[in-house]
Amino acid sequence: MEKVIVLTTINPPKGEIQKLSSYKGWRLVCVGDNITPKDWKADAVEYLSPELQSKLFPKFSEKFPWRMYARKNLGYLYAIKQGAGLIYETDDDMMPLWEP
């Protein structure tokens, strides 16, 4: 079963991103915002830039406002289309107590 962690970010990649991307057997999908740094990049992370969101999900992308938690739904859709059977969601500004 494909397992995916989905989060949103407006920040440059931090230690939390590195930790989440290191979990064995999990993929990390990060949904950017229009204020996320344009050069956002992190190893072992599938980053959905605003441009990629519009390309992958044009109708949905225009419906979700920027700077809103609702944009994370695009990450869920992406994970499901990629075969996710289990999705864990969190944010980059808090580290969950859970670890796989």
Side-chain angles (χ1 to χ4, degrees), residues 29-33 46-50 52-53 56-57 74-75 78:
V29 173
C30 185
V31 181
D33 201 279
E46 296 173 65
Y47 177 62
L48 304 183
S49 67
L52 186 55
Q53 294 170 42
L56 294 172
F57 306 105
L74 298 173
Y78 178 80

Side-chain angles (χ1 to χ4, degrees), residues 52-96:
L52 186 55
Q53 294 170 42
S54 293
K55 181 180 176 185
L56 294 172
F57 306 105
K59 291 181 182 177
F60 285 109
S61 183
E62 66 185 35
K63 299 237 184 265
F64 295 120
W66 295 106
R67 301 181 192 182
M68 295 288 288
Y69 182 83
R71 294 208 70 84
K72 191 179 284 189
N73 287 295
L74 298 173
Y76 303 145
L77 289 172
Y78 178 80
I80 291 165
K81 282 186 78 168
Q82 299 295 311
L86 180 62
I87 297 174
Y88 179 80
E89 72 95 25
T90 189
D91 277 306
D92 68 336
D93 58 356
M94 62 177 68
M95 199 60 212

